[in-house]
Amino acid sequence: MSSSTFETNYGFPRSDVRLGNWRQAPWSAWSFRHVSELIPTARITATPGLTEEPAVDAPDLLGQEFSLGAENITVADALQKTSTDALVVMKSGRVVADIYAPNFTPRSRHILFSASKSVTAIIAGILHGDGVIDLEETVPRYVPELKSSAYADALVRDVLDMRVSLDFEETYQDPRGDFARYRRAGLLEPAKPGATAETLIDFLCSLKKGAKEHNGPFHYASPNSDVLGLIVERASGQRFADLVTARLWQPLGARQDAYVTVDAAGSARAGGGFCMTPRDLARIGEMMRSGGHANGRRIVPEEWVRDTVTGTAAGAWSAGTLAEWLPGGRYRNKWYQTRATSNAFFALGIHGQWLYVDPRAEMVAAKFSSQPLPVCNDMKRCNLALFGAIANIV
């Protein structure tokens, strides 16, 4: 029997891609672009009447060299090294480069993984500007179900800055324990035979406080961002996807529908489930670079954007769990700050998802990848060097 077109394009039949292997290579090269075929989703509707502009070829960019450690490497080599699916670069508000892997198109929607956290925080910032969310309130003020959990005395500000004391470790490749339970609750993995099914909120309610008090060192824990998704949903009285549509996606001028994965109860995976096109992701970065303005209107309060890209608590990052790969960095409102001369800041997701903003160069880069390892510090450093080089080239 001859191979199908699908198998010719991807090197494996569609039937090989399952919920149990979708985050693994080689299947991830397809599944990261087609999450809605594997996991339930809720639609985030694009701005009516707008169409996407033609792709911008940038062949000269691919051949440019930059330093990576002790060697020189071309942009094309760096993109291959980091398993790139798509890269969109904007300069001064205009798209100057669209680079896509085979079988990826400008309409392809790719999962953001934890870069989703930064988008969710934008929604929180909008509601904070409305006076609907108080950052100094405790979490159960908005989500009463969590009053007996680790979040009982955590503030919304602690949730935003990953400073919740939580007895939870982000162990991506451990098939057992709380992180595996967390993924199953979000329908990201097959149900465990014989185990009682949990929803996201069931899981969040079971989490225990760590040994320290809240508002201490940075401690990365994805459930915090799903809590933030529940906070914005409860505070606004709107379903998460509808809220994102009304307050961000359509005002932004997004050209394509996005979607977010949901659990069995319809709760959004606000911490890792957004899927969108690279150009629409770049538009979010451009809005942040522009101080919260986009499409001729203010979307996010300027004060919130300023706090996100410059504000931080002294010492929280350096005393935290991820300081080794970003020396001198900071984290605020679920965005990373480089604290370099460019004042660059970025959103980041596992397997190589990036939204990088360089205010000095007026450059935004949205990058989707299917890196085989969920976390690799060498890949992070390569990507940061790549973005720094692009900022100097375009």
Side-chain angles (χ1 to χ4, degrees):
M1 181 182 293
S2 61
S3 298
S4 67
T5 301
F6 184 103
E7 190 169 355
T8 299
N9 287 340
Y10 293 99
F12 50 85
R14 167 62 184 87
S15 58
D16 278 2
V17 189
R18 308 289 178 84
L19 194 59
N21 66 13
W22 71 279
R23 286 178 289 104
Q24 301 169 17
W27 305 286
S28 57
W30 177 84
S31 61
F32 286 1
R33 314 173 195 182
H34 298 88
V35 171
S36 62
E37 292 194 28
L38 300 163
I39 303 167
T41 60
R43 187 173 70 166
I44 298 165
T45 309
T47 312
L50 296 181
T51 56
E52 192 60 88
E53 294 84 358
V56 178
D57 292 330
D60 293 341
L61 176 62
L62 294 173
Q64 296 291 323
E65 288 191 348
F66 65 95
S67 297
L68 181 63
E71 64 175 339
N72 284 344
I73 187 173
T74 66
V75 169
D77 288 340
L79 295 178
Q80 183 177 25
K81 180 182 181 73
T82 57
S83 305
T84 304
D85 295 321
L87 173 69
V88 170
V89 179
M90 298 182 75
K91 172 75 172 182
S92 303
R94 184 174 60 88
V95 175
V96 296
D98 292 284
I99 299 169
Y100 301 119
N103 307 306
F104 201 106
T105 77
R107 296 176 64 88
S108 297
R109 287 167 291 198
H110 195 290
I111 191 166
L112 272 63
F113 288 115
S114 287
S116 302
K117 296 172 171 62
S118 307
V119 181
T120 298
I122 289 173
I123 303 300
I126 294 170
L127 295 183
H128 176 63
D130 291 347
V132 174
I133 290 179
D134 183 346
L135 306 186
E136 301 307 313
E137 278 281 6
T138 59
V139 170
R141 161 70 175 79
Y142 301 100
V143 191
E145 297 96 318
L146 297 178
K147 64 184 178 182
S148 297
S149 74
Y151 298 96
D153 56 345
L155 303 182
V156 177
R157 166 52 67 198
D158 299 326
V159 170
L160 277 161
D161 292 347
M162 294 289 190
R163 299 180 70 189
V164 175
S165 179
L166 200 61
D167 184 13
F168 178 87
E169 295 299 328
E170 201 98 347
T171 49
Y172 295 104
Q173 294 177 305
D174 183 356
R176 300 171 298 277
D178 279 347
F179 194 75
R181 277 182 57 215
Y182 171 56
R183 279 193 159 150
R184 290 194 296 270
L187 304 183
L188 306 179
E189 290 188 356
K192 188 176 180 180
T196 302
E198 291 182 296
T199 63
L200 273 172
I201 199 161
D202 291 336
F203 174 79
L204 296 171
C205 287
S206 76
L207 291 175
K208 304 301 181 185
K209 190 174 180 178
K212 300 178 180 179
E213 292 302 311
H214 302 308
N215 198 39
F218 173 89
H219 175 65
Y220 189 89
S222 287
N224 292 337
S225 302
D226 296 301
V227 168
L228 186 63
L230 291 171
I231 289 170
V232 301
E233 194 170 66
R234 301 292 182 82
S236 68
Q238 288 185 273
R239 190 170 182 237
F240 185 81
D242 297 337
L243 177 64
V244 176
T245 294
R247 300 304 302 273
L248 175 63
W249 212 237
Q250 293 191 353
L252 182 70
R255 303 305 200 265
Q256 299 291 332
D257 290 352
Y259 53 84
V260 62
T261 66
V262 297
D263 73 354
S267 295
R269 276 280 292 114
F274 274 106
C275 302
M276 61 186 68
T277 68
R279 276 202 173 184
D280 281 334
L281 178 60
R283 290 183 176 101
I284 294 175
E286 177 61 19
M287 178 202 67
M288 292 293 287
R289 186 190 74 82
S290 301
H293 278 94
N295 202 30
R297 61 189 293 183
R298 172 162 293 287
I299 298 176
V300 187
E302 184 176 9
E303 181 181 351
W304 181 271
V305 177
R306 186 185 307 114
D307 181 60
T308 297
V309 304
T310 62
T312 190
W317 175 262
S318 60
T321 53
L322 300 182
E324 185 270 333
W325 69 267
L326 189 64
R330 299 289 191 275
Y331 188 87
R332 185 70 161 181
N333 297 335
K334 303 200 179 296
W335 288 74
Y336 297 85
Q337 305 166 10
T338 65
R339 289 301 176 103
T341 55
S342 63
N343 289 325
F345 57 97
F346 58 89
L348 173 64
I350 58 171
H351 297 284
Q353 322 316 319
W354 292 80
L355 177 56
Y356 184 91
V357 183
D358 184 330
R360 177 188 56 80
E362 299 184 358
M363 186 274 281
V364 172
K367 184 174 185 288
F368 288 141
S369 312
S370 49
Q371 293 171 192
L373 293 176
V375 177
C376 176
N377 287 347
D378 285 344
M379 291 295 99
K380 291 177 187 175
R381 296 185 188 102
C382 182
N383 277 300
L384 285 171
L386 170 66
F387 299 136
I390 291 173
N392 291 325
I393 295 168
V394 297

